[in-house]
Amino acid sequence: MQLFIEHPPYVIAEVGACHNGEFERAIDLLDIAAVSGCRGVKFQLYDADRLSARRHAPHARDIYRRYQLPLSWLPALKAQAKDAHMDLILSVYDHEDLQNALPYADWLKISSFESADTGLLEAASLCGKNLVVSAGMSVLEDMGRLWHFRANSPCRVAILHCVSAYPAPLHDLNLSVIPHEDLDGFSDHSGQRLTGAVAVAYGAKILEVHIRDTHTPEDNPDYPHALGPSDLGAYVKAAVSAQVMGGHGRKEIMPSEQANVRYRVQG
């Protein structure tokens, strides 16, 4: 497919629960993402009662409620992202979330847990926004549906490889699936700052990585797989370097070699 980004890798900083219910922390995390070189910042937009019901997870209602993003934050987050020259990306989990997101989101995101909800995917595709879908917990049949959706969607769709474990162990990352199954990027829960570079080496053009600040409490549910400011900066630099190292894929004499060509022995 012709991906809808220029100059990959495009790194998305996923704030997730690490705003910790504090508006100023959400703004600070957005700024950390910008300084680190991320080109998009993502927040999760959901209603705790609806989300816990649709996922059949009543035990999670209180934790969802603790980290639910207030709708009142959205205008300021949108303005701050624009000032930082970043896209604001919002994860949506049902049709009401989708409507709440539309005035503010530059891109929309569908999580792995909702990636088989064809009604939500189709509704999101009609909104005129770039759409990113994670494909965690998926098998070949699921991928077939997502490939068909991407090929026939009225909007531009990117499918990200994902391992829906928090944190995701390195032996389960299976990054070689990115080129084998024509995936556009990787939603990273490894908590490791080199993983993005490896994913880029396998062909990822979009990376999504969780972030936290230096004061995020260790009992925050996203703490184990989120990167702090220094690790985030290193993550982005390594991913960009991996893209540069990949080159154009043709074997030829490179500019840096030219001065030594005259010394090459011919047999």
Side-chain angles (χ1 to χ4, degrees):
M1 68 169 289
Q2 183 64 41
L3 196 58
F4 51 77
I5 60 168
E6 296 180 355
H7 312 299
Y10 181 103
V11 182
I12 301 168
E14 161 67 274
V15 173
C18 285
H19 58 71
N20 218 51
E22 303 164 37
F23 173 72
E24 291 301 329
R25 178 164 285 175
I27 292 292
D28 288 346
L29 285 165
L30 191 156
D31 290 340
I32 288 169
V35 169
S36 300
C38 297
R39 292 159 62 188
V41 61
K42 187 168 82 68
F43 293 87
Q44 299 174 357
L45 190 63
Y46 61 81
D47 175 85
D49 293 333
R50 295 199 310 270
L51 185 59
S52 58
R54 80 190 310 271
R55 288 185 172 178
H56 308 289
H59 59 281
R61 183 181 297 111
D62 288 345
I63 195 87
Y64 287 158
R65 189 174 291 134
R66 169 71 179 83
Y67 300 105
Q68 181 175 316
L69 186 82
L71 296 178
S72 60
W73 291 8
L74 290 176
L77 294 176
K78 173 67 172 178
Q80 190 77 3
K82 183 177 180 180
D83 287 347
H85 306 289
M86 286 196 299
D87 293 313
L88 179 65
I89 302 163
L90 295 176
S91 287
V92 296
Y93 302 87
D94 63 22
H95 293 265
E96 190 168 336
D97 298 336
L98 179 59
Q99 294 306 310
N100 289 331
L102 288 182
Y104 307 102
D106 295 301
W107 297 18
L108 296 168
K109 171 69 191 297
I110 305 294
S111 82
S112 297
F113 292 85
E114 279 68 44
S115 64
D117 185 340
T118 55
L120 182 60
L121 287 171
E122 290 171 3
S125 75
L126 297 174
C127 295
K129 310 278 188 181
N130 293 335
L131 179 61
V132 181
V133 183
S134 281
M137 303 176 290
S138 295
V139 296
L140 191 58
E141 181 181 356
D142 301 309
M143 294 309 304
R145 286 193 293 266
L146 288 177
W147 291 327
H148 183 269
F149 171 71
R150 181 178 63 184
N152 294 280
S153 173
C155 76
R156 296 179 293 185
V157 177
I159 304 173
L160 306 187
H161 175 47
C162 180
V163 178
S164 299
Y166 308 91
L170 298 186
H171 59 264
D172 280 352
L173 293 186
N174 196 23
L175 294 175
S176 62
V177 80
I178 294 171
H180 291 163
E181 299 201 6
D182 190 26
L183 302 178
D184 303 300
F186 180 52
S187 180
D188 187 357
H189 302 133
S190 71
Q192 302 293 319
R193 67 185 193 175
L194 290 179
T195 309
V198 179
V200 168
Y202 276 107
K205 305 302 182 186
I206 298 174
L207 298 171
E208 179 183 84
V209 60
H210 282 255
I211 68 168
R212 54 179 168 85
D213 63 20
T214 55
H215 303 294
T216 302
E218 293 187 17
D219 63 353
N220 184 288
D222 284 344
Y223 184 96
H225 51 277
L227 300 181
S230 62
D231 283 338
L232 178 63
Y235 184 99
V236 175
K237 288 179 182 177
V240 171
S241 294
Q243 183 71 34
V244 172
M245 291 178 203
H248 51 56
R250 299 184 304 275
K251 185 57 184 163
E252 61 184 33
I253 297 172
M254 303 303 288
S256 58
E257 298 179 289
Q258 290 289 349
N260 287 323
V261 169
R262 59 181 172 165
Y263 302 116
R264 189 179 184 193
V265 177
Q266 299 291 334

